[in-house]
Structures are given as C-alpha cells and as structure tokens.
Amino acid sequence: MTIQTVATTPFAGQRPGTSGLRKKVTEFQQPGYLENFVESIFLTLGAGKCRHLVVGGDGRYFNREAIQTILRMAAAHGVERVLVGRGGIMSTPAVSCVIRKHACYGGIVLSASHNPGGIDGDFGIKYNTENGGPAPEKITDAIYEHTKTLSEYHISDAAPVDLDQLGTTRIENMTIEVIDPVLDYAELMKRLFDFDAIRALFASGFRMRFDAMHAVSGPYAKAVLEGILGAPAGTVVNGEPQEDFGGGHPDPNPVNAAELIAAMAGPDAPDFGAASDGDGDRNMIVGRGIAVTPSDSLAIIAANATVAPGYKGGITGIARSMPTSTAADRVAQALGISCFETPTGWKYFGNLMDANLATLCGEESYGTGSFHIREKDGLWAVLFWLNLLAVRKLSVEQIVREHWARFGRNYYSRHDYEAVDATAANAMMDALRERLPELAGQTLDGHHVSQADDFAYNDPVDGSTSTRQGIRIVMSDGSRIVLRLSGTGTEGATVRLYLERYEADSTRHDLDTQEALSGLAQVAENVSGLRRRTGRSEPTVVT
Ligand code: VG1
Ligand code: CO
C-alpha cells in the first residue's frame, strides 16, 4: 500500500448547490471528477484537521465505487478513523446522528436525495461539519474555489475493503469501522418519543403504511416500526433499498408517491400513511383521504410539541425556509416564541439550532426536523405524528382540521417547471427582479402588493449574509407569490413557483387547493411571464 499523487486538471461547474454537488452519474464517472471534489474537501478542511470521519450514502448506483475512492483518499489525507454504514449505506439523518454521537470531525454524504438514481440518474456528494449539519456557505464556497485550481490529488492504492461485514479493517494507517447505523439512530428516537404509547397504539389495531420508496429508510423504518414498536409485518412497503429506487422517483409527494395516496383513499385505508425520500431526510404525512402539507405538518408539530417526551419542556423557536408557508409563524406567535425565515436548504438552520434559538425547523419540500440532529429527518417526523396520534386519539384529519379552526388555513402549493431552458429561466428572473421596486404599492388583479423583494438573509448568529435567495411578492392580506430557481436539478433549470393564501374563516376551509390559489397563479403568470418565456403551458409537477 502506498499513497499516490495523481496529476489532474479542474472540471468546470463543481459548485455545490442547495445540498451539495449533484450531477448525472455519467458526469461523476469521469476519471478524476469525484477525486477532484473530494481533494477539494480535504484541502478546505486543512492538513491533519479531520481525524475522525463518517462516510455513508443512500445506496444509489455508484455509491459503492464512490465510497471506496473516498476511503482511499481519506487514508491519504491522514484521517485516522472512519465510520461507514454497512454496505456503504446510511441515511442522511443517520450520518448526522453518528457524527454527533461519536464526536467526529465531519462526514461525507453521498446522495442526490429525491433525484432519480440508476446509471442514467443522478449522484451527489456533500460535506457535513462536526455539528452533524451540512457545511455552511463559507465552506462550500471554499471547496468550490479549490476545485477551480486543483492540479493533483492524493490517494492510497489499497485494494477495495469489504463493506458488507460489520467490523474493523485498515487502509494505510486509517481504521475503517463498518457499523450498523440503525442502532444509533433507533436509540436516539427512543429518547425523544413515547415508545410505550406508540406500542399501545399499534397493539390496539391501529394500521399504518410506510412507503420507503425502495430507498434508504426501509431498514430504519422496519427496525423501529415493525421491530421496536410492534407494528405488523408488512407495515413498511418498498422497504429494500435499491440502486435505482425500483425505477421510481424517490420524492415523497402526492405525485411521486401516488400508490400511497391511492391506498390511503381506498375503502380499507389504513389509519396513517407516510413516505420518505432517497436519503431518508424527507417525509410525507397522510391520513385517510388527506395528505398533510409539509408546511402544515411543521405548524402542527410545533403546536403539539410537548406531547413528545423529548420536547416536553417546550420549544425555544421555529425556523422555516422562506418559501414555506407562514402557518408555523402563527403558532410561534401564539406560543410567544421566535419564528426565523431562512433561505432554502437545511444548511441555514444549523447555526440557529446550535445557538438554541430554534428547536424545530421545516421546509415546504417535505422536510421537517429538530435540534436532535442537524439534518431534516423523515422517520423522526413520522414518529412525532405517531406519538401525537397515540396521545390525542384523533384521526389525522381531525388533528389537521382542529389546527385550521384554531389558527386559520394557509392554502399552499408549489408548481415546478422542470428542465426548462436555463437562459429563458434566468432572463425571466432578471426581468422580474428589475420590476420589484415598482411592484410594492400596486394592485395586481385585486391583490394589493405590500412588499416585493429578492430575499436576503442575515444570519443572526454568525452575521453572514446570503443574497438572491428567491423573489417574493407579498400581498397585504398575507398571500404570497415566491419564485426561485432550484439548486438541486441536473438538467437545464427548474423554476419553482410557490403560492400561498391565508383563510381565517373555518367555513371556507374546504376549497380545492388549486382553485383557492388560481387567482394568485394568474397574477404570478402576468407579472413574471413564466409560461410565456419558458414555452411551457403548464407546470411539470404540482404539489
Ligand atoms: C430542494 C428543496 C429544498 C431542499 C433541497 C434538498 O432544493 O426545495 O427545500 O432543502 O431540495 O433536499 P431546490 O434548490 O431544488 O429547491 V434533499 O432531501 O433533496 O437533499
Ligand atoms: Co433528501
């Protein structure tokens, strides 16, 4: 075994997006592509800094190969000990949990999350810091700078190690421990939730369907729900992680998890349904005949936080990404706590949780989590809901309706225009940005604009500023139109249009969501020319 220095040249476009570097598998398969990015991570960390590292991925195609490369590079950069999930697989929340529990310096997560996998699909890589959360912008920017000037990388020529057996192996002076991350994760969940109450719920005949979408959370959900909590075998469906997610799109929303929505609408529907994404950090909550919007789920969890033992002392604050509906803000107000509005992406929540300013965080994109780790956590959200259902003894629909009756309903929808021409998308955003100063004060189709800006965030903890985080047009009745470009896509540009309308009157809580928002959708089109400019007559996905 020797450590080699390999000459390389930079690849253009290795700038991490909303959640790490995401590209087509075929791009990652180019010789040196992954190596360059990993070398840039180690250069950013600094020689000898990273002694203990966690490495895991969502098990998608190219995961195994990538892990072997990363291990050989870690050994070449003086890492002393690496914790790897069995088979190289670890959910994103489990990586965060393991970094924190074992006091590691950081972690490398291999995932393209909700993006499809397989040889024609996507792959991704990101770095998490010692708090267990995604690296903040100053680190991802530094990594990107290194990728532009790199001329060599360092790697051991050791043979591949066996990742399928629990135990310890070595490369150079580095120890590799293959662990079962499900154990650490389950132990953490036990401390947060009332497992006895949930066990009693299942024992009483309560039925659930958890759709793991052939992705990473299957083993975790089986161990916790069917193993520890006594849910009947078969509660977890599509529970074996596959390299191509069974050919599906592992994004837990009503469109991609249509099978679950159908099962929850049938005459013999279970009491509770849930799904999670490729890397296990997203969740969808479904009741009989009702899918709970992620924004509502965050607000409901916040309003009921004290039912779970891990939160019985109350919560210090809530944080939500800017496009997420303001339902959580109303709960924060009622509780007399702060609600922070951050840019899209979990990396902006880390400082708030580290400083104990926020206990719960959420995004409209089916992401919810808390200060127990520093990533969003799909199974955590599902367990919270189970704890809530066990304590309140109401149905999902009753809980949601009760919440709306108390706080009002925020009708909410996201319209995605995927893989549109990037030049047209950028031109649309630029033109709208220019018009922003004149929009405030105008009345658009009966909607009075009270604020129109390009969202900028000042981190209250470290003082850093992030600009150009999405255009928002806020109406005087609290309705909002938000437009931004996705930072996780791998083809052209994806435009996300977010629509929100508040309705206090509970006799008007039964409208169809798209109908309730159709007026705002028209205003959005008039003001942005989104469809006209991108040549699309309708969104690719509506959630
Ligand atoms: C999307 C979501 C964002 C989420 C990100 C990563 O980003 O909108 O809320 O944090 O994916 O989620 P974008 O830039 O495409 O809108 V995951 O579960 O895919 O890592
Ligand atoms: Co994800």
Side-chain angles (χ1 to χ4, degrees):
M1 275 194 284
T2 53
I3 292 166
Q4 319 269 315
T5 298
V6 181
T8 188
T9 50
F11 290 89
Q14 290 199 320
R15 181 196 280 283
T18 310
S19 181
L21 180 69
R22 288 198 192 164
K23 300 285 176 193
K24 293 275 171 219
V25 164
T26 44
E27 205 161 339
F28 267 102
Q29 284 174 324
Q30 299 172 87
Y33 192 90
L34 172 71
E35 290 84 345
N36 275 15
F37 192 78
V38 174
E39 182 76 17
S40 300
I41 293 176
F42 284 114
L43 285 173
T44 302
L45 301 183
K49 281 281 168 54
C50 180
R51 288 171 36 221
H52 296 181
L53 184 71
V54 180
V55 181
D58 62 14
R60 66 178 60 222
Y61 185 81
F62 197 58
N63 193 63
R64 278 177 178 270
E65 260 173 275
I67 289 201
Q68 297 290 348
T69 301
I70 292 166
L71 292 177
R72 289 189 289 128
M73 289 187 72
H77 286 87
V79 175
E80 292 165 10
R81 175 180 175 230
V82 183
L83 301 177
V84 193
R86 180 168 29 198
I89 301 181
M90 251 196 235
S91 74
T92 294
V95 172
S96 190
C97 165
V98 170
I99 293 174
R100 294 168 68 81
K101 180 165 178 181
H102 299 273
C104 293
Y105 190 80
I108 295 180
V109 188
L110 302 169
S111 168
S113 187
H114 57 290
N115 300 18
I119 188 158
D120 299 320
D122 293 343
F123 193 75
I125 176 169
K126 69 173 181 175
Y127 180 72
N128 281 23
T129 53
E130 65 186 328
N131 70 352
E137 255 177 32
K138 65 172 190 297
I139 293 182
T140 56
D141 287 349
I143 295 172
Y144 177 53
E145 288 308 313
H146 280 298
T147 67
K148 295 196 286 192
T149 56
L150 213 62
S151 59
E152 58 184 37
Y153 63 82
H154 305 275
I155 187 163
S156 164
D157 64 358
V161 294
D162 181 1
L163 297 177
D164 294 310
Q165 303 301 325
L166 297 183
T168 304
T169 47
R170 288 185 86 80
I171 294 181
E172 309 287 350
N173 294 322
M174 183 179 86
T175 309
I176 299 159
E177 281 172 47
V178 179
I179 61 165
D180 179 358
V182 176
L183 301 174
D184 283 340
Y185 181 82
E187 189 260 334
L188 177 58
M189 294 301 116
K190 249 187 219 165
R191 284 193 273 129
L192 297 174
F193 300 112
D194 187 344
F195 272 26
D196 288 338
I198 302 174
R199 216 175 274 123
L201 181 71
F202 281 123
S204 73
F206 178 90
R207 288 185 306 131
M208 168 179 187
R209 181 183 172 98
F210 182 102
D211 192 336
M213 302 188 85
H214 305 287
V216 76
S217 63
Y220 298 81
K222 273 192 202 161
V224 175
L225 300 174
E226 296 180 9
I228 304 171
L229 294 170
T235 297
V236 178
V237 300
N238 301 323
E240 294 298 327
Q242 290 178 22
E243 284 197 331
D244 67 347
F245 309 117
H249 198 150
D251 193 355
N253 62 41
V255 176
N256 292 319
E259 208 182 277
L260 174 66
I261 297 292
M264 293 304 295
D268 190 33
D271 302 287
F272 183 53
S276 61
D277 73 334
D279 61 334
D281 58 357
R282 296 186 180 201
N283 73 91
M284 177 169 67
I285 299 297
V286 193
R288 277 196 181 146
I290 181 172
V292 184
T293 71
S295 299
D296 279 349
S297 179
L298 172 66
I300 291 167
I301 290 173
N304 295 282
T306 53
V307 300
Y311 308 88
K312 68 172 185 297
I315 55 177
T316 61
I318 310 171
R320 62 162 175 85
S321 67
M322 185 274 281
T324 303
S325 99
T326 54
D329 303 42
R330 295 174 191 281
V331 175
Q333 201 179 11
L335 294 175
I337 57 173
S338 308
C339 187
F340 297 89
E341 188 174 38
T342 59
T344 294
W346 211 260
K347 58 176 174 273
Y348 298 101
F349 293 134
N351 279 348
L352 296 172
M353 289 190 276
D354 286 350
N356 206 21
L357 291 171
T359 309
L360 299 173
C361 303
E363 294 194 277
E364 53 65 41
S365 52
Y366 297 83
T368 338
S370 93
F371 69 166
H372 66 290
I373 53 170
R374 294 293 180 274
E375 289 278 5
K376 52 189 187 275
D377 188 345
L379 190 50
W380 170 90
V382 173
L383 289 168
F384 185 94
W385 270 89
L386 280 170
N387 198 150
L388 177 58
L389 295 167
V391 171
R392 297 292 312 280
K393 302 188 172 31
L394 297 172
S395 70
V396 172
E397 179 168 2
Q398 284 169 324
I399 286 173
V400 171
R401 288 193 174 277
E402 188 188 274
H403 187 88
W404 290 341
R406 179 168 169 212
F407 294 98
R409 176 172 181 185
N410 291 72
Y411 283 101
Y412 186 85
S413 179
R414 185 174 104 183
H415 295 189
D416 293 330
Y417 292 77
E418 292 175 354
V420 300
D421 178 63
T423 312
N426 281 306
M428 185 270 300
M429 292 295 283
D430 288 343
L432 185 55
R433 209 172 274 122
E434 259 174 44
R435 282 193 59 192
L436 290 174
E438 75 193 46
L439 282 179
Q442 279 193 31
T443 298
L444 306 172
D445 249 343
H447 296 271
H448 181 258
V449 180
S450 60
Q451 184 189 359
D453 63 6
D454 194 350
F455 180 61
Y457 177 62
N458 296 312
D459 186 306
V461 179
D462 68 12
S464 61
T465 298
S466 307
T467 56
R468 291 168 76 102
Q469 296 296 329
I471 291 176
R472 53 179 181 179
I473 303 171
V474 186
M475 312 302 175
S476 48
D477 66 352
S479 296
R480 297 193 310 160
I481 293 169
V482 173
L483 276 149
R484 57 179 284 282
L485 300 184
S486 156
T488 59
T490 57
E491 244 180 278
T494 290
V495 183
R496 304 204 194 282
L497 165 65
Y498 310 81
L499 303 165
E500 174 180 5
R501 186 185 128 190
Y502 179 67
E503 180 58 69
D505 179 356
S506 61
T507 65
R508 298 179 54 78
H509 285 170
D510 282 309
L511 306 181
D512 170 75
T513 297
Q514 296 309 321
E515 271 169 37
L517 296 170
S518 62
L520 278 175
Q522 192 54 53
V523 172
E525 178 57 28
N526 295 347
V527 81
S528 68
L530 169 58
R531 295 181 183 201
R532 179 172 49 80
R533 284 171 172 272
T534 57
R536 295 287 176 86
S537 56
E538 54 182 38
T540 324
V541 184
V542 172
T543 52

